[in-house]
Amino acid sequence: LGPPSATMLADKSNLFVLAMALLVAALIPLGAYLDKQMRLPRSSDVLLASFPRSGSFWVRFMLAHAAVGDAVVVDFHNLEELFPDLEYGPNRKIYVGEDKPSAEQEGFMRLHKRVELPPIYKSHMPLIAGAEPPCFDSIGPGVEEFACQCPNCPPHFKRVIYLVRDGRDVMCSYYSFQKTLGHESANATFVEFLQSEVYPGVSWAKHASSYSDFPTPEVSAASGKSEADEQKAPEVLWLRYEDLHEDPLRELKRIMKFLGVRATEVVLKESVRKSGYEVMRETEEDGGLKLFDKHYSQRDPSFRVVRKGKVGSWRECFAKEGSPEEIDEEARKVFNAESFATMKKLGYLEDENWS
């Protein structure tokens, strides 16, 4: 046989080029798919979601103490390492593999825990139908660096713990929080604050409602849902801030059951004790706050994350000026217009003329 002709070589070259083109064409969508999968929650991940000022620090402190015991002194710095806030840009980069964990984070990953919890991530994101990675759109005014629809992607989490609190207490606490933080939205009356657009970009009522149509553990068990149905929506455990106040041990047990984690009565009682209001307040005073110290160093000296921790403190904001025993009619009207239906649905109110 003689050497290959120029025509044969050209044909082979063309076939090679065609094969490479087909390979590239196949790899591009594959790469996009893998990139998307990297940015989506893993099946074991749990989202702790809430509107701001609903008690997420309290829940995370209890879980942290249950997990690490006396191996680590839990504070507001390492709490962010144990249960990262996905709205914080650096945490998002680590979550999707664009950056490496810090040495401190890696240390917590290697730490032997007495109670092994699944990965838990905190977020104030509402549940937005159709939210998909990558993250391009920010949620809420002035928070481009910190918050976006994905990789939070609440609809893609298999399990969500939703912490809800009386909307009146929430908005009163949030007003004080924003004011002492130095946010411009709080340079107004309380009624104006109720009407303003604040982070996370939706009202308290819309936030709570966005999670309310998904199955609870009790509903899932009773309905005999198929695996395919389970894949379409997260299972949501609802925690009421008021129930945490009434019996924190009982509610912590509910969380552990939802997570599929076993912990002794001794461990859980100790976790509740170490996460009490006075202990958390002292921890904040002594050790400071990781993210707030870094990004809001010029805040008012009176600013506190652990503020009052009470049920029913909304009266200080809704009271009529000069008559603290009476409700300001305009404040009640504005709040009801946005939130009464949700408050009634969640069992907080029965009558619009509450006082």
Side-chain angles (χ1 to χ4, degrees):
L1 294 175
S5 66
T7 303
M8 291 174 63
L9 290 174
D11 288 343
K12 288 184 177 180
S13 178
N14 289 338
L15 285 172
F16 178 75
V17 171
L18 177 61
M20 290 302 295
L22 290 172
L23 179 61
V24 170
L27 287 177
I28 288 175
L30 177 62
Y33 170 79
L34 291 175
D35 181 62
K36 176 181 175 178
Q37 294 304 114
M38 281 290 293
R39 296 167 188 272
L40 285 174
R42 274 75 71 174
S43 60
S44 60
D45 293 350
V46 178
L47 186 69
L48 174 62
S50 66
F51 194 84
R53 309 306 298 156
S54 297
S56 66
F57 273 115
W58 186 12
V59 172
R60 284 185 288 163
F61 258 87
M62 285 194 288
L63 290 171
H65 283 299
V68 302
D70 294 326
V72 174
V73 177
V74 178
D75 58 27
F76 285 88
H77 294 263
N78 55 37
L79 193 71
E80 296 291 340
E81 315 293 351
L82 285 163
F83 308 115
D85 185 341
L86 280 184
E87 290 161 57
Y88 186 53
N91 289 344
R92 286 206 310 271
K93 287 185 176 180
I94 294 170
Y95 187 78
V96 301
E98 293 179 3
D99 209 344
K100 293 182 178 180
S102 66
E104 188 175 14
Q105 285 173 315
E106 288 184 335
F108 278 115
M109 291 175 190
R110 292 192 299 267
L111 182 70
H112 176 71
K113 300 178 179 66
R114 64 177 179 179
V115 175
E116 199 63 48
L117 299 171
I120 300 174
Y121 299 91
K122 170 256 182 182
S123 175
H124 290 315
M125 288 295 301
L127 199 154
I128 301 171
E132 296 286 345
C135 171
F136 293 122
D137 300 321
S138 292
I139 301 299
V143 292
E144 289 79 9
E145 184 182 354
F146 308 103
C148 68
Q149 291 183 8
C150 288
N152 306 55
C153 291
H156 293 283
F157 277 84
K158 300 299 182 187
R159 291 181 294 176
V160 175
I161 298 171
Y162 189 79
L163 182 57
V164 68
R165 183 184 186 186
D166 185 319
R168 297 166 298 179
D169 277 341
V170 167
M171 295 311 294
C172 185
S173 179
Y174 201 20
Y175 180 55
S176 174
F177 178 90
Q178 294 281 45
K179 219 169 188 178
T180 53
L181 193 61
H183 198 282
E184 60 183 18
S185 65
N187 294 330
T189 66
F190 180 61
V191 170
E192 290 170 335
F193 180 73
L194 288 175
Q195 296 171 308
S196 64
E197 182 184 1
V198 294
Y199 169 79
V202 298
S203 67
W204 169 86
K206 285 186 173 65
H207 196 286
S209 295
S210 73
Y211 286 89
S212 65
D213 293 330
F214 290 93
T216 63
E218 295 79 10
V219 169
S220 295
S223 64
K225 289 170 39 164
S226 68
E227 185 177 342
D229 290 332
E230 291 289 354
Q231 291 174 358
K232 293 177 183 177
E235 189 176 58
V236 181
L237 175 70
W238 283 73
L239 286 180
R240 292 168 67 99
Y241 181 85
E242 295 76 17
D243 290 342
L244 282 166
H245 263 270
E246 182 181 272
D247 194 336
L249 179 60
R250 179 192 65 206
E251 297 306 299
L252 183 56
K253 287 179 179 179
R254 287 184 64 223
I255 296 173
M256 292 299 185
K257 181 179 179 181
F258 180 70
L259 297 177
V261 172
R262 290 186 178 184
T264 67
E265 187 89 1
V266 171
V267 165
L268 296 181
K269 284 183 177 179
E270 180 190 56
S271 303
V272 169
R273 179 181 60 79
K274 288 184 174 180
S275 305
Y277 170 80
E278 294 296 340
V279 178
M280 287 182 61
R281 189 70 188 261
E282 185 177 335
T283 301
E284 180 181 353
E285 296 286 347
D286 293 344
L289 303 160
K290 180 177 181 178
L291 300 185
F292 292 97
D293 290 345
K294 182 176 181 180
H295 296 284
Y296 299 97
S297 58
Q298 301 304 311
R299 64 186 184 272
D300 190 286
S302 66
F303 173 85
R304 295 293 182 275
V305 162
V306 184
R307 184 171 164 261
K308 291 187 175 181
K310 293 182 178 179
V311 173
S313 59
W314 54 266
R315 291 182 179 279
E316 68 183 58
C317 295
F318 283 91
K320 189 174 182 180
E321 188 174 356
S323 184
E325 299 303 315
E326 295 183 57
I327 300 299
D328 183 281
E329 188 56 42
E330 185 181 7
R332 180 166 54 192
K333 182 179 178 181
V334 169
F335 180 80
N336 280 347
E338 177 67 33
S339 304
F340 177 73
T342 304
M343 289 282 285
K344 186 174 182 179
K345 180 179 180 180
L346 296 176
Y348 284 110
L349 290 174
E350 287 295 332
D351 192 329
E352 290 191 34
N353 295 315
W354 46 269
S355 60

